[in-house]
Amino acid sequence: IGAAIVLALLWLLMSGVYKPLVIGFGAASVVIAVYVSRRMDAVDGNRIQLALKLFGFLGYFIWLLGEIAKANWAVTKIILSPEMNLRQHLFLAPYSQRTDLGQVIFANSITLTPGTISVEVEDGEFLVHAVNFCDEDMEALADMDQRVTATEAASA
C-alpha cells in the first residue's frame, strides 16, 4: 500500500495533468507496477534492506549536490580550455560500506560526479575512470566513502 501511494503521488507530481483519462492511466500503471513488484518478491524473496540514517543521508545528499556543482565547474573549464590538458586514468577506489545499498550509493555518487565514472566492482573496491586525474582525487573519494559509510545504520 505504501509503494502504491508513493508511486501514485510521483505519477501525479510528474505528469502535472489531472484529467480523468491520465489519472486512470496512472492508476493502471501503479497497479501493474505493484503487482509485478510483489510477484518478483514472491519468486526470489530478495529484498533490499533500507538501513540508512535519514538525517545522515539527507546531509550527505546536500553535500553531494555541492560536490557535483564543483565538479561541473571543473569539467566545464577543461572543456572550454583551448589546450584541454587531460590526464585520463583508471584506478581502484576502495569502499568500506557494509551493505549493498551503501555500495550502490557510493558507486552512483562517483558516477554522478562529472568527470568520473564507476566502471567495475572488484572485491572491496571499484574500478573508476577519471577524465582529469590528480592525486587529490583519491583523498576526495576516501572522504566520499567515509560519508556514505556514515549514512548506514548501525544495525546493517
Side-chain angles (χ1 to χ4, degrees), residues 24-101:
F25 285 146
S29 297
V30 167
V31 168
I32 291 169
V34 170
Y35 171 74
V36 169
S37 176
R38 298 272 307 186
R39 229 181 110 112
M40 288 175 18
D41 281 345
V43 170
D44 67 2
N46 191 7
R47 301 191 71 136
I48 295 176
Q49 296 294 325
L50 296 178
L52 294 176
K53 298 174 188 169
L54 179 62
F55 293 113
F57 181 74
L58 291 175
Y60 171 74
F61 185 72
I62 291 168
W63 173 83
L64 181 63
L65 290 176
E67 293 300 306
I68 290 171
K70 287 192 275 186
N72 270 318
W73 180 251
V75 170
T76 302
K77 288 191 326 190
I78 291 169
I79 291 170
L80 295 177
S81 170
E83 302 88 44
M84 198 182 277
N85 294 327
L86 298 177
R87 284 189 59 210
Q88 295 186 44
H89 188 61
L90 280 171
F91 59 96
L92 294 172
Y95 61 83
S96 61
Q97 291 75 39
R98 298 176 305 272
T99 63
D100 290 341
L101 181 60

